[in-house]
Structures are given as structure tokens and as C-alpha cells.
Amino acid sequence: MRIAMIGSGYVGLVSGTCLADFGHQVVCVDKDPAKIEALNAGRMPIYEPGLDALVAENVQQGRLSFTTELKPAVAAADAVFIAVGTPSRRGDGFADLSFVFAAAREIAEAVDGFTVVVTKSTVPVGTGDEVERIIREIRPDAEVSVASNPEFLREGAAIGDFKRPDRIVVGAEDARAEEVLREIYRPLFLNQAPILVTGRRTAELTKYAANAFLATKITFINEIADLCEQVGADVQQVARGIGLDNRIGAKFLHAGPGYGGSCFPKDTLALVKTAQDAGTPVRLVETVVAVNDQRKRAMARKVVLACGGSVRGKTIAVLGLTFKPNTDDMRDAPALSIITGLQDAGAQVRAYDPEGMEAAKPLLRDVAYARDAYDCAEGADALVIVTEWNAFRALDLARLAQVMAGRVLVDLRNVYDHASVQRHGFHYVSIGRPGSGEA
Ligand SMILES: NC(=O)c1ccc[n+]([C@@H]2O[C@H](COP(=O)([O-])OP(=O)(O)OC[C@H]3O[C@@H](n4cnc5c(N)ncnc54)[C@H](O)[C@@H]3O)[C@@H](O)[C@H]2O)c1
């Protein structure tokens, strides 16, 4: 199959590369010339484990290329995927679909022969209808079928997720579109990945329902963690105790500083808005959004309490900035609210992240960036683990105790255990475990 991928960000680049690796002929298009120039020079615009090697191999095999020229790529394609951003619209939180509709207009002008146009971007119910309307208005003669194929990959594990998905969801309104998408994903049926073919609107909603459910699960265990702290229970054991129940499942039950990232915050908000507009508000998800927002700031207060009630004039070392490990994505990362909260309380912040510092710099002010975890901790009154990068999982606590001015360790990811940290003289505060509270 000849495929054009419109948008070469996280999803477009990973999906396009993996589809090329399945044997398809893929052109990844982006309107950002710097991104395309970097890709053509073999430099990845994002940090994603394994991506550079997979891109290089498929470029070398002649199956994958990058361009800013949408028209020829679309004209030659059997299927055109739209993988542009759908950020929160300022003001009401609904998904900003301006990039999707702009792409649809450009595609309409370029299609040649029967083409399936597939929205891979996360888009609210009914967006496929509007994409189809736009294309038919501009090119009434075009032979186009519009389908939905939401993407479920996780940043940091994106290639594995794309190649071994739990399921593929295809929303198609006619047999031809279904046939083309089945052909595109055929290499995965051989791996027995279930394919669920639904109507277009159902596929669109399935993506939001999945993300809202996962965000709810995280928020649920975070609230249970708070309760654990008040009643002397251990959230990790509670999570294991419920997670071993197959009806619940163990994943997404790690208590922490609140969810962030490029998807959950905007997708939960967009679902809330869709449901309100439809006259069937999703109150549970509305509450999840509110609870999670409050939690990020509450984490800054937790650090202040761990430091004895004030951080004015103190230096706080923050380890981990990205919303999760193995990515350089800073979109809606909890670290942003936590650091700003600490600065508002009068702290100086030093920070270190293995991959996220360049992306963090424009988003934060007055932060001193360090070379590694120990450099970050040098002279600090307290150390806060915000993101559980592997590099922070086995820190030399004796060395930390030596270089730090204070002995406070706030572990917002429950990476360490109480006894081993206390042995080095630290006051240890974690999430939802005995001894998680203030000094
Ligand atoms: N990031 C994730 O983990 C993830 C996972 C599943 C789904 N999604 C969804 O996938 C979509 C894309 O997300 P992302 O994280 O890849 O976004 P991104 O911001 O990383 O990438 C989007 C890219 O599209 C390009 N673009 C915009 N308009 C264009 C146009 N008209 N022509 C060509 N290129 C254009 C931009 O320059 C940018 O490079 C979103 O809807 C998101 O919700 C993301």
C-alpha cells in the first residue's frame, strides 16, 4: 500500500515508520521544514527509544521518506492518514480541530484516484463527518472514503505498542475503506492483534472512552493514596490487593503526582465538553479532571510540608521533568505545576532530567539545570523525585546525603522504601504509604 502520513509528530512519525517496517511505502509529511530537514538528515525531532534505528533502516530500504510537499504524497497514496495535533482549544477545552480541517482541505485538493482518508489524530465524535463534508465540498468529483483509526500507542513504548497493539480500532462507513485498512494492518492480524471494525463515530468515541477510563483509574488510586496517608494504610499493597482481581487489573494503579502528558489532560477535557454539548454530562470524568488538577498543586504543598512548613529561601532539587520516563515530552507534565508551586512558595529550584530539559526550558522560569542527579542535589535542602526515570531508581543515597545541605527526600513515584532511605539519615516522604506525611 502507498501511504501518506500527514503530520510527523509523535504519532505520525512512529506510525509511519512502523507501517513502512510492515512493508508499505510511506511518505511522512510535515509542514514544519525544520522537522523534515532534521528527519532527512537522520536526526529525530523527538526522543523515543528505538525510533532512530527503525527510521534509518526503513529509509535505507527505500520504504520511508519525509517531505514538506503534501500534494504529491497525497496524490500517489492509497490511504492518507491525518496525524496532526488536536490540542485543547483555549477557553472551553474542546479539541482544537483547526489543524485537522486544514489538513482535510489540503488533502481534498490533492487526492487522485480512490483514496481512503483516515483520521488517526484523537478527534471528537463527528469529526469524520466534517472531514468528509470538507473534502466533498472542495472536490465533489473525488473518490474518497473517510475512516477513523484512533491510535493507542504510549510515548516511551511507542514502537512496541504500535507493532504489538492490544487491538486495532477501525471506524469505517463502507466496505472499501474497511478493506484498505484491513490490508494495511494485515501484518498485525498475523500476530493475532484483534481488529475491531465499527462505525466511524463509535471508533472516535472509543479513543476518548479509553483515555478517560485510564485517567479515572489513576485518579482513583491517587485518592485512595491520600486516604491511606490519613488512616495508616499502604497504597501499594492496596493496589496489589485490588489489581490481582482480573476484573480490575494491575495496570494504571500506581499512585503518583497526578496524570499529565499530551493526551489524558486534553482528551478528558474534550470528552467532558462533547458530553455537555450532547446533553449527557460525564460527571465522573468532570470530577477526575478537577481532582487531578488540584493534585498537581497539592504536590508542591506536600514538598513544603516535608520541609517543615516553609521552603522560603531553600533550594529544592527536582529529579525528572517529563510527564513520564523515556520521552522528552513536557506537555502538561506535573513537574510544571509542582515547580511553579515551589517557586511561588519562595524556593529556588534546581532540576535534572535525562531527556526533557531542552523542552522544559521555554516552559519554566528561573530554574537552574544540572548535569546529573548528584549535581542537581548539590547543596539542596530537599530532593524531589517527580519522574521515575531508571537513572533515579538506584541512586547512591550515601553520596546524596553527602552532597546535600538538607536531608529531605520526597519520592512522588514511590521508587524507594522507607527503611533504606532512613538508614542514610533522610526524612522520607512518599505517596500513600505509612510515614508519607509531613516532618
Ligand atoms: N502523543 C501520543 O502519545 C498520542 C497517542 C495517541 C494519540 N495521539 C493523538 O495523535 C495526534 C497527534 O499527536 P502528536 O503527539 O503526534 O502531535 P505532535 O504535535 O507531536 O505532531 C503533530 C505534527 O503535525 C504537524 N502538522 C500540523 N498540521 C499539519 C499539516 N496541515 N500538514 C502537515 N503537517 C502538519 C505539526 O507540524 C506537527 O509536527 C493528536 O490528536 C493526539 O491526541 C497522540
Side-chain angles (χ1 to χ4, degrees), residues 6-12 29-32 35 83-86 99 103 106 121-122 151 153 155 207 262-263 266 331:
I6 313 304
S8 307
Y10 251 103
V11 164
V29 182
D30 206 286
K31 64 178 184 183
D32 178 352
K35 202 170 261 191
V84 301
T86 49
F99 300 109
E106 288 183 75
S121 298
T122 302
E151 183 49 56
L153 61 78
E155 292 180 13
K207 171 66 189 176
S262 64
C263 292
K266 78 172 176 63
R331 288 178 278 187

Side-chain angles (χ1 to χ4, degrees), residues 5-15 28-33 35-36 45-46 48 67-68 70 82-87 95-107 120-123 149-156 158 207-208 211 261-264 266-267 323-324 327 329 331:
M5 186 66 66
I6 313 304
S8 307
Y10 251 103
V11 164
L13 181 55
V14 171
S15 310
C28 285
V29 182
D30 206 286
K31 64 178 184 183
D32 178 352
K35 202 170 261 191
I36 294 301
I46 51 167
E48 180 64 37
T67 182
T68 52
L70 181 140
I82 301 177
V84 301
T86 49
D96 176 352
L97 295 171
S98 55
F99 300 109
V100 173
F101 295 152
R105 282 191 286 273
E106 288 183 75
I107 292 165
K120 194 164 248 325
S121 298
T122 302
V123 293
N149 170 223
E151 183 49 56
F152 296 94
L153 61 78
R154 292 164 302 168
E155 292 180 13
K207 171 66 189 176
Y208 282 102
N211 274 0
S262 64
C263 292
F264 288 178
K266 78 172 176 63
D267 292 348
F323 78 101
K324 66 174 178 179
T327 178
D329 202 333
R331 288 178 278 187

Side-chain angles (χ1 to χ4, degrees), residues 110-184:
V111 278
D112 188 6
F114 176 67
T115 312
V116 182
V117 176
V118 191
T119 43
K120 194 164 248 325
S121 298
T122 302
V123 293
V125 174
T127 304
D129 303 356
E130 184 59 16
V131 167
E132 185 167 348
R133 197 195 60 73
I134 289 170
I135 296 175
R136 300 225 182 283
E137 190 177 284
I138 296 173
R139 281 284 301 282
D141 61 306
E143 253 195 295
V144 165
S145 176
V146 176
S148 161
N149 170 223
E151 183 49 56
F152 296 94
L153 61 78
R154 292 164 302 168
E155 292 180 13
I159 293 170
D161 283 352
F162 194 91
K163 290 188 163 184
R164 286 176 297 281
D166 290 338
R167 78 308 204 182
I168 299 149
V169 175
V170 166
E173 296 295 321
D174 59 75
R176 274 173 105 185
E178 180 182 337
E179 200 181 309
V180 167
L181 278 153
R182 279 191 187 276
E183 181 57 24
I184 288 173

Side-chain angles (χ1 to χ4, degrees), residues 55-98:
V55 166
E57 192 185 320
N58 283 282
V59 168
Q60 205 232 331
Q61 298 286 332
R63 289 189 297 259
L64 178 64
S65 59
F66 303 101
T67 182
T68 52
E69 299 289 316
L70 181 140
K71 278 207 164 102
V74 168
D78 303 303
V80 178
F81 284 84
I82 301 177
V84 301
T86 49
S88 275
R89 191 162 67 188
R90 229 174 256 221
D92 66 359
F94 195 66
D96 176 352
L97 295 171
S98 55

Side-chain angles (χ1 to χ4, degrees), residues 218-219 221-222 225-226 254-260 291-300 302-303 320 322-324 332-335 337-338 384-388 410-414 431:
I218 293 173
T219 306
I221 202 66
N222 282 340
D226 290 348
H254 299 288
Y259 63 77
V291 168
N292 192 66
D293 280 349
Q294 284 160 14
R295 184 169 189 82
K296 293 186 196 171
R297 291 294 280 199
M299 291 299 110
K302 191 175 177 81
V303 176
T322 52
F323 78 101
K324 66 174 178 179
D332 269 317
S337 313
I338 296 169
V384 185
I385 298 175
V386 178
T387 314
E388 69 281 28
V410 183
D411 177 3
L412 299 180
R413 299 289 182 171
N414 288 351
I431 301 273

Side-chain angles (χ1 to χ4, degrees), residues 90-427:
R90 229 174 256 221
D92 66 359
F94 195 66
D96 176 352
L97 295 171
S98 55
F99 300 109
V100 173
F101 295 152
R105 282 191 286 273
E106 288 183 75
I107 292 165
E109 280 159 17
V111 278
D112 188 6
F114 176 67
T115 312
V116 182
V117 176
V118 191
T119 43
K120 194 164 248 325
S121 298
T122 302
V123 293
V125 174
T127 304
D129 303 356
E130 184 59 16
V131 167
E132 185 167 348
R133 197 195 60 73
I134 289 170
I135 296 175
R136 300 225 182 283
E137 190 177 284
I138 296 173
R139 281 284 301 282
D141 61 306
E143 253 195 295
V144 165
S145 176
V146 176
S148 161
N149 170 223
E151 183 49 56
F152 296 94
L153 61 78
R154 292 164 302 168
E155 292 180 13
I159 293 170
D161 283 352
F162 194 91
K163 290 188 163 184
R164 286 176 297 281
D166 290 338
R167 78 308 204 182
I168 299 149
V169 175
V170 166
E173 296 295 321
D174 59 75
R176 274 173 105 185
E178 180 182 337
E179 200 181 309
V180 167
L181 278 153
R182 279 191 187 276
E183 181 57 24
I184 288 173
Y185 285 109
R186 196 167 46 84
L188 290 180
F189 312 153
L190 302 176
N191 291 348
Q192 317 223 306
I195 179 157
L196 178 69
V197 181
T198 69
R200 206 160 55 196
R201 288 177 162 248
T202 302
E204 289 169 339
L205 186 56
T206 302
K207 171 66 189 176
Y208 282 102
N211 274 0
F213 190 87
L214 294 173
T216 302
K217 212 172 165 190
I218 293 173
T219 306
F220 174 81
I221 202 66
N222 282 340
E223 286 207 311
I224 294 294
D226 290 348
L227 180 58
C228 284
E229 288 178 20
Q230 294 309 314
V231 300
D234 182 330
V235 73
Q236 279 180 300
Q237 291 179 1
V238 173
R240 188 161 159 72
I242 62 173
L244 284 170
D245 184 329
N246 285 334
R247 293 169 302 176
I248 295 175
K251 294 192 175 149
F252 283 77
L253 283 182
H254 299 288
Y259 63 77
S262 64
C263 292
F264 288 178
K266 78 172 176 63
D267 292 348
T268 44
L269 267 183
L271 180 63
V272 162
K273 188 72 180 61
T274 297
Q276 281 168 356
D277 289 351
T280 50
V282 281
R283 298 230 163 76
L284 193 58
V285 184
E286 287 175 13
T287 305
V288 164
V289 170
V291 168
N292 192 66
D293 280 349
Q294 284 160 14
R295 184 169 189 82
K296 293 186 196 171
R297 291 294 280 199
M299 291 299 110
R301 288 198 296 278
K302 191 175 177 81
V303 176
V304 173
L305 282 178
C307 292
S310 170
V311 290
R312 192 154 297 283
K314 291 187 176 161
T315 299
I316 310 292
V318 171
L319 293 185
L321 295 169
T322 52
F323 78 101
K324 66 174 178 179
N326 295 324
T327 178
D328 59 355
D329 202 333
M330 281 299 300
R331 288 178 278 187
D332 269 317
L336 296 172
S337 313
I338 296 169
I339 289 175
T340 316
L342 290 171
Q343 289 173 327
D344 289 349
Q348 305 286 328
V349 175
R350 290 169 63 80
Y352 171 70
D353 186 282
E355 296 291 340
M357 293 195 290
E358 283 315 305
K361 281 175 188 169
L363 305 174
L364 289 164
R365 270 196 283 168
D366 301 325
V367 170
Y369 292 93
R371 287 188 309 278
D372 58 32
Y374 303 98
D375 179 41
C376 186
E378 183 94 38
D381 296 283
L383 184 72
V384 185
I385 298 175
V386 178
T387 314
E388 69 281 28
W389 284 89
N390 276 343
F392 307 147
R393 286 177 183 274
L395 292 167
D396 181 341
L397 297 172
R399 186 171 161 201
L400 280 180
Q402 229 168 32
V403 299
M404 285 175 63
R407 294 282 184 283
V408 177
L409 175 54
V410 183
D411 177 3
L412 299 180
R413 299 289 182 171
N414 288 351
V415 173
Y416 289 93
D417 70 84
H418 222 260
S420 59
V421 179
Q422 275 181 331
R423 212 175 302 135
H424 293 277
F426 282 99
H427 169 55

